[in-house]
Every structure is written in C-alpha cells, then in structure tokens.
Amino acid sequence: MNKQTIYMIHGTDYKRMAMKIMESAGVAEEIGSAEKRVVLKPNLVAATPPSQGGTTHAELLAGAVEYLQQHGFNNIAIIEGSWVGEITPNAYRTAGYDRVCREYHVPFIDLQKDSYQTYEAAGMQIKVCDQAMKADYIINMPVLKGHCQTLITCALKNAKGMIPNSEKRRFHSLGLHKPIAHLNTVVHPGFILVDNICGDLDFEEGGNPVTMNRVLGFRDPVLCDTFVCESMGYDIDEVPYIGMAEALGVGSTKLDEAEIVMLNQPEKGATGKASSRRTQQLAGYTAPKDACSACYGSLIYALNRLNDYRMLKRGLPPIDIGQGYRGMPGEIGIGACTSCHNHSLKGCPPKAVDIVDFLQEEWIGQR
Ligand code: SF4
C-alpha cells in the first residue's frame, strides 16, 4: 500500500468492511512474520456506546482480529487507556470489547496501569506506555469525530491514549496541539483503520452522532487528519497540530496527491435519520430522499459549520439530497443525484468543506 493511498468502504456490515480494507491494503504482508506482536489501538475515551459517536465500534476490532488470525497472527492485543476521570474497564465493557476478547481469545491491556518510559520526541520529552512501544506493529483505530478543543480528532490525537494519565494532564496544560504533534514523532502506527460509522459532531465523548456508515484506511496519520478536516468542513489551518506534525516529518497534508480507492459505492440508508436534538435541528434544513449515509452525513457536518458561523436562518429553501432526486428538477441540491436542479453541487459524495462553500454562495448568499 502506497503511503498516499486512501481506502474507503461503505455499508453496515462493519466487521466485513474492516476485513476487506485490511485485505485490500495488504496489511498482513506488510507486517511480515506471523511471530510479530501486533496491537490494536481503538478509541475508548469514555464509557459510552459506539452508537453515540465517541468510541470505536467493537465490530471493527472483531474484523481486524479475525483478519489477522486468518493470516496466522496470534500475538495480538488490544491496548487503550481512557481519558483521565474514566476507568478504562468500564469503557471496555460499555463498548462491548469484552465479547470480542472472549470470542477471539485476545487480551485487552489497560494502558492506565501500564509502565512507561520517557522518549526524546523532536525536542520534547514525552512519556509513552511500554505496551505501545514494545509492539512490532500498531493498528491505530480512531473515530472520525469532532472535538471541543481541537475541532476534529482522528489518527494523530488517538495516539494520546498511549501515554500515562500524568502525561495526558500535562498535554492539556500545554494546549494539546504541540505535544500531540511531537508524540507522533515517537509512536508510528503501521496502519490506520478509521471508524467513520457515526462520529460525533463536535464532542470527543459523543452524544450527537452523525451516521456516515463508512470505514477508511490510511498509512499516513497527517494525511488522514487532513482528510478528516475536509470531511467535516474545516480548513487544516484551524487544527494546528496537523501542520505541526507535517513540519516534524510525520506525514503529508497533500490530499491532492493521494489516490482514493473506493472498494464499493455509497448505499442508500440515512434518509431522515437524526439521532439527537442538535442533528435533528440541522436535518430540518434538508429534504432527503433515499440519501446515502456518507452524502447525508457530509451535509450535516457542513450545516454544523454554517451554524457555527451563525448563518442558518428561517425561510431558506430545503436542500435536496439523495438518489430519489435523480433526473428531477428542483431549486438546490447536494451531490450528483441532484444534477438537474437549478443549483447543484457535484460529487458522489461531495466533501463537507465543498458543501460549506457551495451553500454559502448558492443557498444563503442568494437570499
Ligand atoms: S450523490 Fe447520490 S449516489 Fe452519490 S453519495 Fe450522494 S446520494 Fe449517494
């Protein structure tokens, strides 16, 4: 797998989707010898079920473990330390990881209780847990979601779960961005399997999930987080740790040089689904008809940005989206399916960052 390749798969059979992405990316071949120690690092920030948008789905872990075991790997562990204030085993049970560990006979290691060493991290001294640093290969499994301080969180920030609690507190006192960038000069995941199933609008622990039903694969955490910015409607300059990590040589923000390998096409399914009061309010500006989850989720993220800018107002015409609009005339629509509308944004699915620009110009700006 090229470092600039992005793998994307849509659907609801999350376990199979994880396996298919890893197979397509050739993860087993890349790891090499079956004797290697492979650790999976999900996001178990707090004791909230993955359906709330804060934690990695257990089905993705099951898929990753099954894929590895099918390829002869048996020295596997799941490692994670929840945020300060949460007891990791509570989060582990709430997310259903106990069932995965039992079914596949894989240990879970609570990094809040792990020993650690201090490492030189491009000019900073950073403590990192031993179980992470002893691994031969790390599979980073973050959730693509919003964050109340850093705006987005995905691959780069998920590395923070591999440091002791005392270091997490210090990171916050340093403003998060700089230490996150430096931490990623020390911790090097081989593969990044992103849970883009239903990440939160803007809170790390979930509560306002946005259904996308998508799983992504990357090798470059900087490229991954750059993609996340576009998917949620942010400019990368709004998330300083991404540019800092690039400057330290962790990866590249050059999305235009990346190849996106679509393992299937988006599926219909999200129409009208809004799982919290906030997403319901945003959904009130839309008129979905057989919309694919990834398309509709991108629109919800874009509307959330416009809401941040205080641009949403009463009296705006509903935004059409979905396969039910194919060939139909209309006022304003998002995605290739609305190409017969007076104002339509191309893309299948379009990115949230493009939807934000389009709606400012063609929807709000016209009224
Ligand atoms: S443009 Fe149409 S087919 Fe493509 S993702 Fe959107 S709703 Fe689905």
Side-chain angles (χ1 to χ4, degrees):
M1 181 185 177
N2 185 309
K3 234 188 157 183
Q4 300 302 101
T5 305
I6 300 170
Y7 288 86
M8 184 182 294
I9 190 166
H10 303 83
T12 51
D13 187 348
Y14 308 135
K15 185 174 111 174
R16 294 283 151 212
M17 287 157 68
M19 295 176 79
K20 202 162 172 194
I21 283 220
M22 293 174 76
E23 194 72 64
S24 302
V27 174
E29 293 76 16
E30 188 174 89
I31 299 170
S33 161
E35 310 302 315
K36 294 264 179 79
R37 170 78 162 171
V38 183
V39 298
L40 310 179
K41 162 64 179 79
N43 185 326
L44 260 188
V45 57
T48 58
S51 59
Q52 285 297 302
T55 49
T56 307
H57 284 71
E59 294 93 328
L60 293 191
L61 280 173
V65 172
E66 194 167 312
Y67 166 84
L68 290 168
Q69 290 181 342
Q70 282 179 357
H71 287 79
F73 295 92
N74 285 307
N75 190 0
I76 305 168
I78 301 169
I79 63 168
E80 170 64 320
S82 295
W83 67 4
V84 177
E86 183 61 83
I87 298 167
T88 309
N90 288 347
Y92 158 82
R93 280 188 293 274
T94 304
Y97 293 5
D98 49 346
R99 290 192 296 277
V100 175
C101 291
R102 267 199 310 275
E103 182 178 348
Y104 292 95
H105 306 287
V106 168
F108 178 88
I109 297 167
D110 178 0
L111 295 184
Q112 285 184 337
K113 297 186 175 149
D114 195 19
S115 53
Y116 53 84
Q117 308 290 325
T118 301
Y119 296 86
E120 155 64 28
M124 281 188 78
Q125 300 289 303
I126 295 182
K127 298 183 178 71
V128 185
C129 295
D130 289 342
Q131 288 290 340
M133 296 304 283
K134 282 183 191 162
D136 294 309
Y137 195 92
I138 299 173
I139 299 178
N140 185 3
M141 298 178 65
V143 179
L144 185 164
K145 60 183 173 178
H147 188 276
C148 59
Q149 291 175 69
T150 57
L151 302 181
I152 67 114
T153 168
C154 201
L156 290 164
K157 193 171 166 300
N158 199 37
K160 193 165 148 278
M162 293 184 270
I163 60 176
N165 276 355
S166 57
E167 200 66 329
K168 286 177 193 157
R169 289 190 195 94
R170 189 171 76 98
F171 270 37
H172 281 273
S173 74
L174 295 171
L176 287 177
H177 289 281
K178 183 179 173 190
I180 287 171
H182 282 255
L183 170 62
N184 279 274
T185 66
V186 176
V187 177
H188 302 289
F191 190 64
I192 304 154
L193 186 68
V194 177
D195 182 334
N196 186 199
I197 295 168
C198 60
D200 195 85
L201 269 181
D202 45 22
F203 282 104
E204 191 178 9
E205 68 269 45
N208 294 294
V210 178
T211 303
M212 298 282 278
N213 282 331
R214 196 164 68 170
V215 178
L216 307 164
F218 296 83
R219 285 197 70 235
D220 177 342
V222 175
L223 191 74
C224 173
D225 286 13
T226 306
F227 180 89
V228 172
C229 282
E230 287 209 347
S231 300
M232 296 184 67
Y234 291 99
D235 191 289
I236 58 166
D237 293 341
E238 295 179 86
V239 187
Y241 67 72
I242 298 175
M244 290 177 181
E246 182 180 44
L248 292 171
V250 176
S252 167
T253 58
K254 294 189 174 62
L255 259 186
D256 51 351
E257 292 178 8
E259 177 198 16
I260 297 183
V261 176
M262 301 267 285
L263 298 177
N264 63 8
Q265 294 302 312
E267 293 175 359
K268 286 192 277 186
T271 304
K273 276 188 190 169
S275 46
S276 70
R277 181 178 282 198
R278 285 200 45 221
T279 51
Q280 274 170 17
Q281 283 170 348
L282 298 172
Y285 292 92
T286 72
K289 263 190 206 169
D290 297 333
C292 302
S293 305
C295 210
Y296 195 63
S298 297
L299 176 56
I300 294 295
Y301 278 126
L303 287 168
N304 190 47
R305 295 296 292 143
L306 294 171
N307 190 45
D308 291 344
Y309 301 150
R310 300 183 185 278
M311 287 182 148
L312 298 182
K313 56 189 179 191
R314 287 168 192 257
L316 292 165
I319 305 161
D320 295 343
I321 184 168
Q323 297 185 28
Y325 288 105
R326 278 185 179 153
M328 288 177 61
E331 179 54 26
I332 186 156
I334 296 295
C337 292
T338 62
S339 61
C340 295
H341 281 43
N342 294 338
H343 305 271
S344 171
L345 176 66
K346 289 181 189 161
C348 181
K351 295 179 232 161
V353 73
D354 295 332
I355 299 175
V356 170
D357 289 346
F358 171 78
L359 291 179
Q360 284 191 62
E361 185 101 352
E362 306 288 343
W363 187 52
I364 296 165
Q366 301 293 321
R367 283 149 196 102

